[in-house]
Amino acid sequence: MQFELFVSLRYLMAKRRHAFISLITLISVAGVAVGVMALIVVLAVMNGFQHDLRDRILGITSHAVIGHFQGIFDGYAHLVQEIEREDGVEAATPFVLTQVMVNSGKFISGAILRGIDPKTAPRVTRLEQSLLQGTLASLLSSREDASFTERPAPSIIVGVELAARLGVQTNDYVTLISPTGQTTPAGRVPKSRLYRVVGLFKSGMYEYDNTLAYVHIRDAQKLLGIGDAVSGIEVKVKDIYAAASVSNKLQKKLGYPYWVRDWMQMNHNLFSALKLEKVVMFIILTLIILVAAFNIVSSLIMMVMEKTKDIAILKAMGATTHKVRRIFVLEGLLIGVVGTVLGLVGGFTLCELLKRYQFIELPRDVYYISTLPVRTEPLDVVLIACAAVAICLVATFYPSKQAAKLHPAEALRYE
């Protein structure tokens, strides 16, 4: 064992004449441990929220969307095949998107209508897993070869919050009113069509559950009177974190007049806000470790005052200024390392308890989840541990410098 480390350990573990110094040392260790534990738990919860929110968003929407600057376009069948041949793309499906009014006879509400292909949509989104009642196959129940006016009421799947606002359940009927309308001798009038509710979905996101409704893509095209045109193409990539690079490749391949946006661009404001909150929480909770660092400074200063004679004897015996400085640097560093290790153990233990027992419940009418989601990230743990140890190391510089400057003759003059 090195001489400096040996002396540092003896100073830390030996009984002191002034118990107050030992108490401050214990408080320093506890302060570092509490700060590290708080950082791990808070960042794990924020990571859990972000990961859970991302999964819920990507459960309804796709990883990337391809659109046209003119709004709608046809000839999409070969475009879908071309997109699916691109490296990194897993599947693609066309869709029609529009705003409509939904009338249940008792209530009326605005909604976002999405026309999807029930055969290819499950390969791109996880809407099927979000269904509480019905299946996507039920959108195929209406005969596709029948004319729009001859076939029975086409099927529609709505969000649970939208269904509650309209006061409808499965097998009830609603009327969709398209604001685009149609031209008649009396002028342009809104176009409407009766639909049968065949399913309800719950994504966990109030914004989606309260506004979205799904119909077969052919029914949406007939309602809007756009022929065989679509609003865009949804794309699923093999790696969600590579969505930006895949989107850039698709944009270069397709060129103008098509545009491509990935899921991070479409939800940029939301995830940027979450990232900013995470950084702010890291900075705020680091102040706890800074308080512990001040305790380390005071503890080492008082220890230097108590060990003045010992330092003088060590220097008189040949200990260099550098070695004396290293003794107290190592002492403060040991306090920081012990506190950090205890904080890591406490943080992981508390995170595991939160995941296993979920004893903190959240009000369902305020949050979209009922319990705290917890997800620890290795990079966050490494950053927390390094930041804690670095702060404790910096806190040792002044006391160790003062100890190293001590002159043996001055220290032993009155002994």
Side-chain angles (χ1 to χ4, degrees):
M1 185 181 295
Q2 286 186 348
F3 159 72
E4 298 92 333
L5 180 59
F6 174 76
V7 177
S8 299
L9 290 173
R10 289 295 298 269
Y11 278 178
L12 277 176
M13 295 186 293
K15 293 183 178 179
R16 302 197 180 98
R17 290 175 295 175
H18 304 290
F20 184 64
I21 301 177
S22 300
L23 179 61
I24 292 180
T25 303
L26 291 176
I27 291 174
S28 302
V29 173
V32 175
V34 170
V36 170
M37 183 175 66
L39 272 169
I40 287 178
V41 174
V42 171
L43 293 187
V45 171
M46 296 192 74
N47 287 332
F49 267 110
Q50 187 172 352
H51 188 268
D52 188 73
L53 186 63
R54 186 199 68 196
D55 284 351
R56 291 176 185 270
I57 290 175
L58 294 182
I60 296 297
T61 60
S62 58
H63 298 161
V65 174
I66 298 172
H68 198 281
F69 282 105
Q70 293 182 356
I72 60 173
F73 60 94
D74 52 12
Y76 58 88
H78 79 280
L79 193 60
V80 169
Q81 296 176 358
E82 187 177 353
I83 292 169
E84 290 183 334
R85 286 195 295 265
E86 184 68 30
D87 290 338
V89 175
E90 187 171 329
T93 182
F95 71 94
V96 173
L97 184 68
T98 186
Q99 292 183 338
V100 295
M101 296 294 292
V102 187
N103 186 1
S104 65
K106 298 176 288 184
F107 304 99
I108 190 169
S109 175
I112 304 297
L113 184 69
R114 291 184 72 94
I116 61 173
D117 183 355
K119 296 179 181 178
T120 59
R123 297 166 52 204
V124 177
T125 66
R126 297 196 299 269
L127 178 61
E128 189 89 53
Q129 286 86 343
S130 301
L131 292 175
L132 298 179
Q133 299 178 26
T135 62
L136 288 183
S138 59
L139 294 179
L140 292 167
S141 58
S142 301
R143 288 183 297 112
E144 294 187 28
D145 56 345
S147 66
F148 188 65
T149 55
E150 292 175 354
R151 76 168 79 162
S155 305
I156 186 172
I157 296 174
V158 299
V160 291
E161 298 294 340
L162 180 59
R165 281 207 300 161
L166 294 172
V168 297
Q169 291 292 333
T170 53
N171 296 320
D172 289 342
Y173 289 86
V174 295
T175 302
L176 298 188
I177 305 170
S178 172
T180 56
Q182 56 185 350
T183 303
T184 65
R188 198 167 187 85
V189 296
K191 193 174 183 179
S192 63
R193 174 66 172 168
L194 190 68
Y195 284 76
R196 184 171 68 92
V197 179
V198 296
L200 302 176
F201 74 88
K202 183 178 182 181
S203 66
M205 296 289 293
Y206 180 82
E207 181 181 356
Y208 294 155
D209 297 339
N210 190 49
T211 57
L212 280 177
Y214 292 88
V215 297
H216 194 284
I217 190 170
R218 300 296 181 195
D219 294 329
Q221 290 170 337
K222 291 287 186 178
L223 179 66
L224 297 177
I226 58 176
D228 195 29
V230 296
S231 303
I233 298 173
E234 293 182 302
V235 180
K236 181 180 181 180
V237 299
K238 296 177 181 178
D239 181 7
I240 60 173
Y241 297 107
S245 61
V246 174
S247 298
N248 290 334
K249 288 191 294 183
L250 288 173
Q251 182 67 73
K252 292 178 181 178
K253 183 176 182 179
L254 300 177
Y256 184 84
Y258 298 100
W259 53 262
V260 185
R261 297 181 67 189
D262 61 85
W263 65 273
M264 287 180 283
Q265 290 177 311
M266 291 185 286
N267 301 280
H268 176 73
N269 292 338
L270 177 60
F271 287 103
S272 295
L274 290 174
K275 185 177 181 179
L276 179 61
E277 287 180 5
K278 184 178 175 180
V279 173
V280 171
M281 291 303 298
F282 182 88
I283 295 172
I284 292 173
L285 292 175
T286 303
L287 297 176
I288 300 176
I289 303 177
L290 285 175
V291 172
F294 281 110
N295 288 333
I296 292 175
V297 173
S298 60
S299 174
L300 291 179
I301 289 175
M302 287 189 288
M303 191 175 297
V304 170
M305 295 172 63
E306 183 189 33
K307 301 295 183 181
T308 299
K309 184 172 65 173
D310 296 358
I311 296 170
I313 293 172
L314 286 172
K315 297 193 75 172
M317 293 175 65
T320 63
T321 300
H322 178 69
K323 288 186 176 182
V324 173
R325 182 186 296 117
R326 188 181 293 180
I327 288 172
F328 290 94
V329 168
L330 286 174
E331 192 168 342
L333 192 59
L334 285 171
I335 293 173
V337 170
V338 171
T340 301
V341 171
L342 291 176
L344 291 173
V345 173
F348 283 125
T349 302
L350 188 53
C351 288
E352 190 62 31
L353 290 174
L354 285 171
K355 284 192 288 187
R356 181 172 298 182
Y357 298 105
Q358 299 180 350
F359 48 83
I360 297 181
E361 295 186 359
L362 303 176
R364 289 181 176 271
D365 56 341
V366 177
Y367 300 95
Y368 66 91
I369 52 177
S370 58
T371 56
L372 284 177
V374 179
R375 181 183 177 85
T376 53
E377 297 286 350
L379 180 60
D380 289 342
V381 175
V382 172
L383 288 176
I384 292 168
C386 291
V389 173
I391 291 172
C392 295
L393 179 62
V394 171
T396 65
F397 288 168
Y398 176 75
S400 61
K401 182 180 178 181
Q402 294 301 113
K405 287 168 58 179
L406 193 63
H407 197 277
E410 293 292 332
L412 296 175
R413 175 177 294 178
Y414 303 105
E415 293 298 328

